Amino acid sequence: MLNNTTNHKKIHIILLIFSLVFIFYKIHFKSSVGILGDELNSILVYSTNIYTLFLKNFPGNVTFFHSIGWIGSKVLGYDLINFRTITFLLFAGTVYVFYLQFRSINFLYILILLSLSSYLILYAGFYLGYIFSSLLFVLIFYFILKNDDNTKSKIIFFLLFLQLYNHLVNLYLCLPILLYLFICNKRHFRNNLKYFIVYFCVPLSVFYMLSIILTGLSLAKLSNYSLITAFDYLNNNFLDIFFSGSNRIFFYEAYADAKNFSITILFKNIFFFDKIFLFTIAILIVFLLVNIKTKKIPKKIVFIMWIHFLMFFLINKDPAPRIFNGFF
């Protein structure tokens, strides 16, 4: 009996690998997609130069994702397929974490079928940061489901730091998870407060301070960016650099000029962007409503998801539909 179970697992893994290889072939060889402008920006600006890696002059710099690309470029060169393969491997990692959580090959096949018919699979073939965000969120929820004894909170806080530094838009889901760690884990409040400071606040502050300074310096448009010149200018104009860098990162025009949130406009935009996403969100809401009576979904997941939806009203900005590639 044990041998049969082991053999079934091996067959499942082989089938899963075969499916992923087929998807990779379909994305990169069967149907060739030209390079996107955002990909060019990701590669040429942020993934090939250590000096621009921590710039946050545009929201598209997903620093830790681009760090992987930067390392890859040093080892493998600047081939587009190499950069796009990084994204696909992250997608494969996301699928594997789902498998670890649910231990159901049928669930994985459903996931892959959904992916094939949605923009998710398209973005799995581009060198963009959405799939990286998806993987981190999947890992976060994987550890949340195993965090009844609070032993995974350190990891969760650290992953949340990675998410929020990578892209501010992740606040929509990061904040609900942070609230869960404190509100739903009251017994471990003191420990979580310590973890929050050490594994979230400190690294987030350090990295954002670095990015604020670098972004402020880049906006100053100095004629010479040698270390001596940059440090001298920073020493004499620190507050100007700090405020200009902060304004660029946290109040970028794409955020400031976004329309106020409207649920009808949001669903309309998602409908035209990708009907599968709209279907997924609708099913999720139905499950949450049904769960009020059945109570089959873990309370912590229910709490996070309701707060997640509430965040769209609280932030009160109309988000671009493509951000859902990172959430769902």
Side-chain angles (χ1 to χ4, degrees), residues 47-235:
S47 299
T48 58
N49 193 328
I50 189 67
Y51 297 108
T52 59
L53 197 55
F54 294 94
L55 274 181
K56 290 285 185 179
N57 53 336
F58 292 102
N61 185 13
V62 187
T63 301
F64 295 118
F65 170 68
H66 290 149
S67 298
I68 301 172
W70 178 75
I71 294 170
S73 69
K74 299 304 175 187
V75 177
L76 301 172
Y78 300 101
D79 191 286
L80 178 60
I81 290 292
N82 293 338
F83 283 105
R84 287 181 169 180
T85 299
I86 292 170
T87 308
F88 184 81
L89 290 175
L90 294 171
F91 170 72
T94 304
V95 173
Y96 183 67
V97 175
F98 267 112
Y99 175 73
L100 290 178
Q101 178 59 47
F102 295 97
R103 298 291 179 179
S104 170
I105 200 68
N106 294 328
F107 180 84
L108 286 178
Y109 289 146
I110 293 171
L111 177 67
I112 290 172
L113 286 173
L114 284 174
S115 299
L116 285 171
S117 60
S118 75
Y119 265 82
L120 178 61
I121 198 64
L122 185 63
Y123 278 94
F126 292 140
Y127 182 65
L128 298 171
Y130 298 109
I131 300 299
F132 183 70
S133 291
S134 293
L135 174 58
L136 291 186
F137 274 130
V138 168
L139 282 170
I140 288 169
F141 278 97
Y142 174 77
F143 288 118
I144 285 173
L145 290 170
K146 297 181 179 299
N147 196 42
D148 292 336
D149 56 358
N150 208 54
T151 56
K152 305 296 187 296
S153 290
K154 294 179 184 178
I155 301 173
I156 295 170
F157 277 118
F158 185 75
L159 291 173
L160 289 171
F161 143 65
L162 296 180
Q163 286 288 58
L164 205 52
Y165 176 71
N166 265 333
H167 209 310
L168 276 175
V169 78
N170 288 328
L171 183 67
Y172 281 105
L173 194 46
C174 286
L175 186 57
I177 296 169
L178 286 170
L179 290 174
Y180 142 73
L181 287 166
F182 286 106
I183 295 176
C184 297
N185 261 3
K186 292 180 181 178
R187 291 185 297 116
H188 304 284
F189 182 87
R190 183 172 294 181
N191 282 335
N192 281 345
L193 182 60
K194 180 176 66 176
Y195 301 153
F196 173 68
I197 294 170
V198 174
Y199 295 99
F200 180 79
C201 290
V202 170
L204 190 68
S205 300
V206 169
F207 275 85
Y208 262 122
M209 179 58 74
L210 173 63
S211 291
I212 286 169
I213 292 172
L214 291 175
T215 302
L217 284 171
S218 73
L219 294 173
K221 300 187 184 302
L222 303 180
S223 58
N224 179 2
Y225 276 97
S226 67
L227 285 177
I228 295 175
T229 303
F231 275 115
D232 183 59
Y233 187 84
L234 176 63
N235 184 54

Side-chain angles (χ1 to χ4, degrees), residues 31-49:
S31 56
S32 178
V33 180
I35 190 168
L36 301 179
D38 286 345
E39 282 187 295
L40 276 173
N41 197 48
S42 294
I43 294 170
L44 298 179
V45 178
Y46 298 118
S47 299
T48 58
N49 193 328

Side-chain angles (χ1 to χ4, degrees), residues 110-111 114-115 117-118 120 267 270 274-288 305 309 324 327-328:
I110 293 171
L111 177 67
L114 284 174
S115 299
S117 60
S118 75
L120 178 61
F267 282 125
I270 296 174
D274 188 350
K275 297 175 181 61
I276 294 296
F277 273 146
L278 184 60
F279 174 77
T280 304
I281 295 170
I283 290 296
L284 180 59
I285 293 173
V286 169
F287 278 149
L288 290 174
M305 294 317 298
F309 289 125
F324 292 95
F327 297 151
F328 299 108

